[in-house]
Amino acid sequence: MTPPWPLPLNIPPDALQELSKTLTPTGIADYSALTIFSVAAATYLSRGYLWDQPDPYQHLVYERPQLKNGGAAGSATKETRNIAKKLEESRKDMVVFWGSQSGTAEGFANRLAREISLRFGLSAMTADLSDYDPETIAEVPQSKLVGFLLSTYGEGDPSDNTAELWDWVNKTKDQGQLLSSVRYFAFGLGNRNYKYYNRVVDVVVEALDKLGAKAVMPVGKADDAEGATQEDFMTWKESLFAVLKGLGFQEHEVQYMPTLSVQEDESLEPIDLHNGEPDGGSLKAQCSPIRPLAISASRELFNSSDRHCLHIDLDLTSQPEFTYKTGDHLAIWPGNPDSEVERLLQALGLSSRRDVPITIKSLDSATKVKIPSPTTVATVFRYYLEICGPVNRDNVLGLAQFAPTPDAKAYLQQLGQDKASYAAFINKNHVNLGRLLQQASTETWNIPLSYLVETLPLMQPRYYSISSSSVISPRKASITVVVSTTPVPENGDELIHGVTSNYLLAVSENLRSAPHPEGLTYHLNGPSDSLQGGKVLSHLRKSKFKLPTLAKCPLIMVAAGTGLAPFRAFIAERRQLQQIGREIGEMLLIFGCRRHDEDFIYRDELEEMTSVLGEKLRIVTAYSREDKKQYVQDKISEVGDDVYRLIDEGANFYICGKAEMAREVEKAVAGVMSQKGQDEANEWRTRMKRRNKWQEDVW
């Protein structure tokens, strides 16, 4: 046998012949070994092609959110990440940093900076915390002021764009007087129903003080538990203005000066315009791109004539990059209803100019334009601005300067000046911007579009827990949507329609060639007619609300209303694992709704899964509108023995629903553990959360 490789000079031919005999397979064992080796080699070589394919979004983990979609990294001139240098270059006296998850803190920061500039002549800018390196705050001179508006959400977590500042202050807070030249003020946004109320601003302020920064006033806090965030902010803002006057800054009469230019440009062609496609630049690293998804099916879950809850299946097959995992979230980008768009256009006298192209440009190098331009007024009102929300008292007073008549001006000033009077007014009326303008005057309002773009909040996506399992339906994601239609507190004949849920109801009804039950209409074809045939603009967001890796780990799941959505997916996935022969752990589901025959969603499915899973699944229900009024926290106490036993056996504990409910559930579990002899220091809770065995998805 002649070997196929070159012969080394120092190996005799006889030795090679003997070696070739040794390497030639002669029996079943040899052939088996060669087969195993070949399969192993093929498997290794196909890694990344046929299996273990990389997450298509993995690279996003390392991206800064502000650099996406034309951010600093993609621009011709790279923006500095040194805030002290930015203040010097743009000749600003003050920066107001914002850390925001839903956009509220960002809106407050913009309002505050704009009003300080107008009232005191100070040149103020706002800044996304993720746009600047936190250590450069130390370089800000004492002659300038630094503000922090910081939101807290979840388990005392900072917003995504606060992560760098959060890490930096926690690492450096014991490293001396690094910020001795910094003068600052701070305001936190939180909800007292959460256990860690305003934790983020507390931690940051404590660190700033340790690092030598000087607070010009006590920290302010907003509490959204009773919907008081706007009023809390306004009260704190007036205190800040008093402090500024005390520091020697002269207050002036407020006159509107735009930071944006909004101009008509009829030379532009339709092909040049942005027609409502979401910008997506503010999306965080754990989000997918925004894409149109087709609704493949929709069905009603409530057995009620006046309340609606939809199960919606969305087809992912048209978007190969869309991959989700059980427990993730799906976002819907809505459009405003036609009636409210028309109302606002009419009040502003812009009905005939609705489709004239406009350009939006910044008049200040430190101000970013958040609305894609060029576009049209109708598009701005339909897709880019939240025009359906209530008008805060600040904006009522701000609108008075544009009143078409003295009577209208006096009406708005009287309405906005007194907190109690305005609260009473809101309890009797639902007034968004268009309705308020029409109520104040039937005359046409000459409000600059720049003012509306500056003061109205940007349209935000709404997030829904995915109620399907990625193991069972990898190319179909389901969401569970309760349609929000709330009566005005003291005027039940007037309804407040939730923006996104009613938009989804209209899309779903249109698939059946039926109108919206309340007569609302929308531009369902979407931007550039990209949503024809029942599509919606969506993106996926990764979540930490996940099943344990070990299928035999027990689960305790507590939900009220549509909080059941992710648990539907959890239970279905566990059933699938059992059917393929995997051992699964015991599951206890505690679910609450109003009545068992009205809004017990997925009841038939849960009963069927109970019959299949047998002793592996137990469902305990609480009904709040039946003879024996009960809530899920009451049931925790009733089944306390099982709760304690499962926790003792290493169960994962999940809560999904409103934050107030989650707080009461945690109290009930603490009561059970205390009765069973656990110490009062609640070490069991700390232990579970540290090991990620206590998870909440609350709002």
Side-chain angles (χ1 to χ4, degrees):
M1 176 178 179
T2 303
W5 53 83
L7 295 177
L9 295 177
N10 59 344
I11 300 179
D14 291 344
L16 284 174
Q17 289 179 1
E18 290 299 322
L19 180 61
S20 66
K21 291 177 182 179
T22 302
L23 295 177
T24 302
T26 59
I28 295 176
D30 290 344
Y31 282 107
S32 299
L34 281 174
T35 301
I36 292 171
F37 175 79
S38 300
V39 170
T43 301
Y44 177 79
L45 293 173
S46 64
R47 181 182 181 185
Y49 297 94
L50 301 179
W51 68 284
D52 193 27
Q53 295 184 16
D55 182 349
Y57 305 132
Q58 181 66 25
H59 67 285
L60 297 178
V61 174
Y62 305 100
E63 289 187 0
R64 300 185 186 276
Q66 75 276 9
L67 301 186
K68 296 173 66 177
N69 295 336
S75 59
T77 303
K78 187 175 181 179
E79 289 284 344
T80 179
R81 289 187 56 80
N82 185 313
I83 185 58
K85 185 177 180 181
K86 181 67 176 180
L87 288 170
E88 187 66 28
E89 289 176 348
S90 55
R91 298 182 180 180
K92 298 295 181 184
D93 304 305
M94 177 189 300
V95 58
V96 182
F97 284 114
W98 54 267
S100 183
Q101 197 71 8
S102 64
T104 304
E106 179 183 3
F108 283 173
N110 290 331
R111 282 166 56 184
L112 183 63
R114 184 168 56 250
E115 193 164 348
I116 286 175
S117 297
L118 296 176
R119 279 200 179 198
F120 296 95
L122 289 169
S123 184
M125 64 173 282
T126 61
D128 181 334
L129 277 164
S130 65
D131 281 341
Y132 297 93
D133 296 323
E135 60 269 21
T136 64
I137 296 173
E139 301 175 29
V140 176
Q142 193 171 1
S143 60
K144 301 183 186 295
L145 283 172
V146 181
F148 297 91
L149 271 63
L150 306 172
S151 64
T152 299
Y153 79 104
E155 289 290 286
D157 299 320
S159 63
D160 293 333
N161 74 313
T162 310
E164 287 181 82
L165 174 71
W166 181 260
D167 292 341
W168 185 76
V169 297
N170 281 293
K171 289 177 182 177
T172 61
K173 61 184 178 182
D174 297 319
Q175 295 183 14
Q177 303 291 293
L178 296 178
L179 302 181
S180 57
S181 68
V182 175
R183 294 186 300 163
Y184 80 93
F185 54 86
F187 184 77
L189 289 80
N191 186 315
R192 199 172 293 277
N193 285 329
Y194 289 82
K195 180 182 178 183
Y196 297 99
Y197 169 64
N198 263 312
R199 174 174 178 249
V200 171
V201 75
D202 286 342
V203 170
V204 170
V205 164
E206 180 185 7
L208 293 175
D209 293 342
K210 282 187 175 182
L211 291 168
K214 309 293 190 303
V216 299
M217 64 182 295
V219 62
K221 294 180 182 179
D223 182 9
D224 200 42
E226 301 296 332
T229 297
Q230 292 283 351
E231 288 295 339
D232 290 340
F233 172 70
M234 290 180 65
T235 300
W236 171 81
K237 185 183 67 172
E238 291 302 321
S239 298
L240 174 61
F241 292 165
V243 168
L244 293 178
K245 285 189 284 187
L247 291 174
F249 295 107
Q250 187 70 35
E251 188 172 13
H252 309 287
E253 181 181 354
V254 176
Q255 292 183 338
Y256 172 63
M257 296 185 64
T259 59
L260 298 173
S261 167
V262 182
Q263 301 290 333
E264 290 187 350
D265 186 350
E266 297 190 67
S267 68
L268 294 169
E269 299 294 330
I271 196 173
D272 300 323
L273 305 181
H274 293 270
N275 295 308
E277 302 85 355
D279 180 8
S282 62
L283 292 185
K284 309 308 176 187
Q286 68 270 34
C287 295
S288 75
I290 303 167
R291 297 287 185 265
L293 294 178
I295 293 179
S296 58
S298 174
R299 70 178 191 270
E300 178 67 60
L301 296 177
F302 282 174
N303 184 23
S304 172
S305 59
D306 58 349
R307 297 176 65 221
H308 300 276
C309 184
L310 304 174
H311 173 89
I312 298 176
D313 294 326
L314 295 118
D315 187 359
L316 308 184
T317 55
S318 64
Q319 306 298 338
E321 73 270 42
F322 269 36
T323 58
Y324 77 97
K325 298 295 184 184
T326 304
D328 284 346
H329 299 137
L330 188 140
I332 300 293
W333 292 80
N336 288 310
D338 294 336
S339 57
E340 297 303 336
V341 174
E342 295 302 319
R343 189 194 308 274
L344 187 52
L345 288 170
Q346 185 176 354
L348 297 172
L350 295 174
S351 296
S352 62
R353 310 292 294 174
R354 71 178 68 221
D355 296 322
V356 175
I358 59 172
T359 58
I360 306 174
K361 298 179 180 178
S362 174
L363 299 176
D364 183 342
S365 62
T367 301
K368 295 181 179 180
V369 178
K370 297 296 182 69
I371 293 177
S373 174
T375 183
T376 67
V377 177
T379 297
V380 169
F381 290 167
R382 176 170 286 119
Y383 295 113
Y384 292 131
L385 294 179
E386 297 269 10
I387 66 170
C388 294
V391 183
N392 62 64
R393 197 160 56 87
D394 247 3
N395 281 352
V396 171
L397 293 171
L399 289 167
Q401 63 187 305
F402 306 112
T405 66
D407 287 345
K409 183 175 183 177
Y411 175 81
L412 292 180
Q413 288 177 332
Q414 182 179 4
L415 183 61
Q417 283 171 351
D418 186 73
K419 176 180 176 180
S421 297
Y422 188 68
F425 175 77
I426 289 296
N427 278 335
K428 296 179 181 178
N429 303 273
H430 171 53
V431 283
N432 54 36
L433 178 60
R435 296 185 185 204
L436 178 65
L437 297 181
Q438 288 185 340
Q439 191 164 329
S441 176
T442 58
E443 301 287 330
T444 298
W445 290 72
N446 187 25
I447 303 175
L449 282 174
S450 57
Y451 179 84
L452 298 181
V453 173
E454 290 168 356
T455 56
L456 286 175
L458 295 173
M459 181 71 83
Q460 298 291 331
R462 274 60 166 184
Y463 289 93
Y464 296 92
S465 296
I466 296 177
S467 53
S468 56
S469 164
S470 59
V471 170
I472 301 171
S473 305
R475 304 311 300 154
K476 181 179 73 176
S478 304
I479 57 174
T480 308
V481 181
V482 64
V483 180
S484 174
T485 304
T486 308
V488 174
E490 296 182 19
N491 182 8
D493 294 334
E494 189 173 7
L495 300 176
I496 304 171
H497 295 100
V499 174
T500 307
S501 60
N502 280 277
Y503 168 75
L504 287 170
L505 178 59
V507 177
S508 298
E509 292 296 321
N510 189 59
L511 289 173
R512 293 186 282 271
S513 301
H516 186 286
E518 301 294 333
L520 297 178
T521 60
Y522 299 80
H523 186 65
L524 297 182
N525 283 346
S528 304
D529 292 333
S530 61
L531 303 180
Q532 294 185 72
K535 295 179 181 178
V536 291
L537 287 167
S538 311
H539 72 264
L540 294 169
R541 183 177 70 181
K542 294 180 179 179
S543 167
K544 297 178 181 178
F545 199 73
K546 300 294 185 185
L547 279 166
T549 304
L550 294 175
K552 61 182 180 181
C553 176
L555 309 179
I556 303 173
M557 300 166 285
V558 184
T562 54
L564 181 60
F567 301 143
R568 173 184 183 262
F570 284 11
I571 297 169
E573 187 159 315
R574 280 285 177 92
R575 181 182 65 174
Q576 180 75 4
L577 292 173
Q578 186 189 61
Q579 288 178 341
I580 63 174
R582 294 276 297 278
E583 180 185 354
I584 63 170
E586 183 179 346
M587 294 175 284
L588 173 62
L589 170 65
I590 302 174
F591 171 65
C593 60
R594 293 186 181 184
R595 297 182 178 88
H596 78 281
D597 59 350
E598 179 183 310
D599 54 358
F600 189 163
I601 59 176
Y602 301 117
R603 184 172 62 180
D604 292 342
E605 288 185 26
L606 290 172
E607 289 175 351
E608 189 269 333
M609 283 194 274
T610 302
S611 66
V612 172
L613 291 167
E615 62 182 14
K616 291 295 185 181
L617 174 63
R618 180 185 177 193
I619 300 176
V620 178
T621 52
Y623 304 111
S624 62
R625 300 282 179 95
E626 295 195 349
D627 293 338
K628 188 178 181 181
K629 188 175 184 178
Q630 288 186 312
Y631 297 97
V632 288
Q633 57 265 32
D634 302 320
K635 291 296 183 179
I636 292 285
S637 302
E638 284 187 20
V639 297
D641 288 344
D642 286 329
V643 169
Y644 176 77
R645 174 179 58 82
L646 290 172
I647 290 177
D648 191 51
E649 293 174 1
N652 276 22
F653 200 109
Y654 299 91
I655 308 174
C656 188
K658 292 186 177 179
E660 185 176 6
M661 177 272 289
R663 185 185 61 180
E664 294 302 318
V665 167
E666 186 165 352
K667 287 180 181 178
V669 176
V672 168
M673 301 303 285
S674 179
Q675 290 174 7
K676 298 297 182 180
Q678 294 290 321
D679 59 49
E680 295 187 3
N682 289 327
E683 289 185 4
W684 63 271
R685 183 193 290 111
T686 303
R687 211 164 38 241
M688 290 185 73
K689 291 185 177 181
R690 185 170 58 243
R691 296 165 60 196
N692 204 32
K693 297 186 77 65
W694 183 286
Q695 298 185 34
E696 297 180 7
D697 189 354
V698 298
W699 53 87

